[in-house]
Amino acid sequence: MKRIIVTGDDFGLAIPVNEAISRAHSEGILTTASLMVGADGARDAVARARNLPSLRVGLHLVLVEGKPVLPPAEVPDLVNAQGEFSTRLVRAGFNYFFKPGIRRQLEAEIRAQFEAFSNTGLALDHANAHNHMHLHPTILQLMLSVGGEYGLSAVRVPYEPPLSSWRATGRSLAGKVAEWMFLSPWLSLMKRRLRRARLRFNDFIFGMADSGAMTAGVVLKFLAHLPEGVTEMYFHPATRRCPEIDRNMPEYRHEEEFKALTDKSVLEALEAAGALRIAFSDLGE
């Protein structure tokens, strides 16, 4: 059986993102959203989600490229002089692994974000991390241990099969294989930990290699090569440009991704593929 989870990331980042995600659910194929609880548009996103009870919402844990939920003074090793998380992902990963005392601050911030999500009253569909930082073993362990206290039952596994991705796009097979080889040990560790914790997860993902460029044409090709099992396809939609988008994602084609999610031909291709649209919380059924 083919099952597909269609996710909108960065829910709460800004009003244009929230508009796109809510409309992509009510008018298109989107089934889930990942909420940034500390972002400026989080309150608006929660209000929209409450008016769309069929939209499942998870936590998009932010530990890079954003602001902490806790006061910066409580997490000084996680933030810069402006009180913001690092935009240098590799450096942040090394700091999280090697810097003394940082684990306590990470745990406190992760707990604060789960607590903030819990306070929304929304059911927790899943959790993942901005820029897939939950591949980091320290962050994953803390996310699972803290998340278990808040009813976490499903986690995104960012495994994009290189051959399927290449067949769909025809681009950069060598690059896709190299990325898979680099991530493979971390993905194996992640899956072992998720199974040990008895958490559910997707088999495959599409949207990593083409992040920010999931246009209707690309999505149609992915749907034509959809594998058996559970596939998550994720997007970064928005109805228009805004400063929050342009700051860290100036090259992303947010508006085109929104159009793809509401494109009639995409819906028809999804139906033709025989794929059942679900959310993470449906995986136990």
Side-chain angles (χ1 to χ4, degrees):
M1 178 183 293
K2 296 179 181 179
R3 293 187 288 173
I4 185 167
I5 300 166
V6 185
T7 307
D9 274 1
D10 298 351
F11 197 32
L13 177 66
I15 300 300
V17 175
N18 299 346
E19 291 173 343
I21 285 176
S22 57
R23 288 182 57 189
H25 177 67
S26 59
E27 303 170 20
I29 67 169
L30 189 138
T31 62
T32 68
S34 297
L35 175 67
M36 292 175 150
V37 293
D40 292 338
R43 182 174 296 182
D44 175 80
V46 171
R48 292 173 187 271
R50 288 173 177 161
N51 289 324
L52 291 169
S54 58
L55 175 65
R56 311 290 180 85
V57 182
L59 174 62
H60 198 47
L61 194 66
V62 177
L63 297 167
V64 292
E65 294 183 352
K67 298 180 293 185
V69 169
L70 292 174
E74 294 185 22
V75 286
D77 293 320
L78 303 185
V79 299
N80 58 21
Q82 289 72 46
E84 299 178 342
F85 295 126
S86 175
T87 59
R88 299 181 179 182
L89 308 190
V90 175
R91 176 179 292 184
F94 275 104
N95 285 341
Y96 295 163
F97 197 83
F98 293 109
K99 200 167 185 179
I102 205 167
R103 182 183 175 89
R104 179 192 59 79
Q105 295 177 35
L106 275 171
E107 181 173 3
E109 176 61 25
I110 290 170
R111 184 177 302 279
Q113 293 190 32
F114 271 102
E115 182 69 18
F117 188 98
S118 178
N119 290 339
T120 68
L122 299 172
L124 181 63
D125 180 70
H126 63 274
N128 55 52
H130 192 45
N131 284 300
H132 307 299
M133 288 299 291
H134 60 304
L135 272 169
H136 191 291
T138 302
I139 293 173
L140 178 63
Q141 183 177 350
L142 292 172
M143 186 173 80
L144 297 186
S145 61
V146 174
E149 301 175 27
Y150 290 88
L152 179 64
S153 61
V155 172
R156 168 189 289 170
V157 170
Y159 165 58
E160 186 166 48
L163 290 179
S164 295
S165 180
W166 173 72
R167 290 191 189 102
T169 64
R171 296 196 301 269
S172 185
L173 176 60
K176 294 176 189 295
V177 171
E179 183 180 62
W180 169 76
M181 292 178 66
F182 173 75
L183 293 178
S184 185
W186 309 110
L187 288 166
S188 296
L189 176 62
M190 172 180 278
K191 290 178 181 179
R192 286 198 301 272
R193 286 184 168 178
L194 293 178
R195 291 190 183 103
R196 191 180 306 131
R198 298 186 178 182
L199 297 182
R200 299 185 289 273
F201 54 91
N202 53 298
D203 299 309
F204 312 104
I205 200 167
F206 288 124
M208 286 183 65
D210 297 275
S211 187
M214 293 287 283
T215 62
V218 171
V219 174
L220 288 171
K221 291 176 181 177
F222 278 131
L223 292 176
H225 295 85
L226 201 64
E228 298 287 333
V230 179
T231 299
E232 183 186 11
M233 191 177 292
Y234 74 99
F235 296 77
H236 296 86
T239 55
R240 60 190 182 277
R241 307 297 300 185
C242 62
E244 294 88 349
I245 286 173
D246 291 334
R247 181 181 182 187
N248 291 317
M249 298 171 283
E251 75 284 0
Y252 276 28
R253 297 152 69 179
H254 291 77
E255 294 141 299
E256 290 185 60
E257 293 205 353
F258 168 55
K259 291 178 181 178
L261 287 164
T262 55
D263 191 297
K264 183 179 179 180
S265 64
V266 170
L267 176 59
E268 292 173 348
L270 186 55
E271 293 173 346
L276 178 66
R277 278 184 289 161
I278 64 169
F280 279 95
S281 50
D282 296 319
L283 292 178
E285 300 179 359

